[in-house]
Amino acid sequence: MKYTQEIEKRKTFAIISHPDAGKTTLTEKFLLFGGAIQTAGAVKSNKIKKHATSDFMEIERQRGISVATSVMSFEYKDKLINLLDTPGHKDFAEDTYRTLTAVDSVVLVIDCVKGVETQTEKLMEVCRMRDTPVIIFINKMDRDGRNPFDLLEEVEKKLNIKTQPLSWPINMGRDFKGVYNIHNKSLLTFGAHQKATDEDIIALPDLSTEKLVDIIGEKDAASLREDMELINGVYTSFDTEAYLKGDLAPVFFGSAVNNFGIKDLLDTFIEIAPSPKPRMTDKREVKADEEKFTGFVFKIHANIDPRHRDRVAFLRICSGKFERNTFYHHVRSDKKVRFSNPYTFLAREKNVIDDAYPGDVVGLFDTGTFKIGDTITQGEEINYVGIPSFSPEIFKELVNNDPMKTKQMEKGIRQLTDEGVAQLFTQHGGNRKIIGCVGDLQFEVIQYRLLQEYGAACSFRTLPFFKACWIQGERQKVDDFIRFKQANIVEDKEGHLVYLAESEWYLNTERTNNPGVKFYITNDFEHELV
Ligand code: G4P
């Protein structure tokens, strides 16, 4: 077994949330604890402004800055933490879904006032596909939010995962007094902490002690004891194995902006979160401690600013040791590739690195070689699986405004969709090109980049679809379905058949009427529509 120490040291994860729940604030507090930044506000200033949707160039400029924070590595208590950033802007949700394929676990932030929101559900759906272990942080306890028991129930119902509180709030809003850490039986009282330290934590193994009354008062002590009695009646001791399998989510309560409850969360995270796990390829499972290097590209960032026309491919190392200036095998193209300036980010500084280990993410300068999902190895012919495309939400027909530039447009749209800017579909048995995106912004980006980089002018015609489903099934049944729904059938770039549905109602009707056809929500035919 190779590099065991390096592998066990690493925890690669992402913080995810519905916009505004507190992801950026929590990220910043983690970085402060890890010593990766010195001042509050450093991450916030890099954040893509959620509301500036009208100006995509401004958003792209900010996205350019955010490349520098795509991976934030820091050390905390002998562990090396790779925190993968996910864009907060909803139009870049697909970027987030892809990033989730490269992490070993996630921390999910939920606003205690709003509870489970739409984006929370979508993100969790992606986590459930890979059984990614999830820790939940219920944020903004300094506000008058929902009852914590109700929140847990909502999480279990809407996110389809069992929960177990490892900390418990004492009141909320103006009366918020602090949290009791059920995991290590200690109390942290709420004050204006800038950085809660170990000294602030009071060990309280027995809640019947008078000390509790002295600290939080009689009424709150009584209600905490009552809550804990209920909790102890429902939950047994925390089952780390169930968490690692993605079956059970431990829950913490706190307030990110007040840096409250964050240390508890981070300490438990480094104790229980998984180090790099084995990953599936199309041929076999690859273990992180195998000697030979393997990895895959999960994200490509192209800067559209003409003054900085750089493209960076993000490679997740899955096994072995990645070394600079070494020839590797690019499986899809069957070519040799070598990287002279791979970089990582330690303490927010971009550093050219000589080597990297499983769990690390390296940035590779790319001139158009890579496509999302590409595997790189030391020679083995394997392809990592589980980096699927998800259904877009907006569909438009691509209209070529300059027939003299058809070739350029075809090349441009292929390259842009390889980068993951959008998905390209072609009418089944025809030539119409349909672009699918998660947000409207991408259409502007495509239009701009096709013109600037390929000299091809285009426009879009809105189409009435809301979801793409990849279809498979008995030959005859699929053929009948295609014939019947011709106007809704397209092919993706790999030639897979896709049904575009106008509405939930149509989708359900077609499913009922065509039991011989299976509808999938990802292009790898692994996840059937339920
Ligand atoms: P996001 O990345 O998930 O979109 O959320 P972000 O951290 O930007 O937080 C969204 C808003 O919620 C911010 O306020 C932030 O200050 C606030 N917030 C985060 N944690 C807490 C908390 O524990 N309690 C309370 N009360 N608020 C919290 P904003 O007004 O949008 O931005 P800012 O002007 O404060 O930076």
Side-chain angles (χ1 to χ4, degrees), residues 17 20 22-25 44 47 139-140 142-143 255-257:
S17 76
D20 266 344
K23 178 181 80 72
T24 314
T25 314
K44 289 220 111 180
K47 185 173 163 171
N139 190 27
K140 306 196 185 180
D142 58 318
R143 290 205 178 149
S255 167
V257 80

Side-chain angles (χ1 to χ4, degrees), residues 393-395 432 434 463-467 487-488 500-503:
E393 292 170 17
I394 308 172
F395 298 83
R432 275 172 73 198
I434 293 169
L463 297 172
F465 304 119
F466 94 113
K467 199 181 219 142
N488 298 59
L500 302 181
E502 286 96 340
S503 69

Side-chain angles (χ1 to χ4, degrees), residues 403-433:
M404 300 295 286
K405 295 281 169 66
T406 305
K407 268 203 175 141
Q408 285 87 332
M409 194 178 85
E410 300 228 334
K411 181 177 171 211
I413 200 65
R414 284 212 162 258
Q415 288 192 345
L416 295 187
T417 47
D418 279 354
E419 271 175 30
V421 177
Q423 287 182 56
L424 173 65
F425 302 99
T426 311
Q427 183 191 15
H428 179 61
N431 271 328
R432 275 172 73 198
K433 290 198 165 23

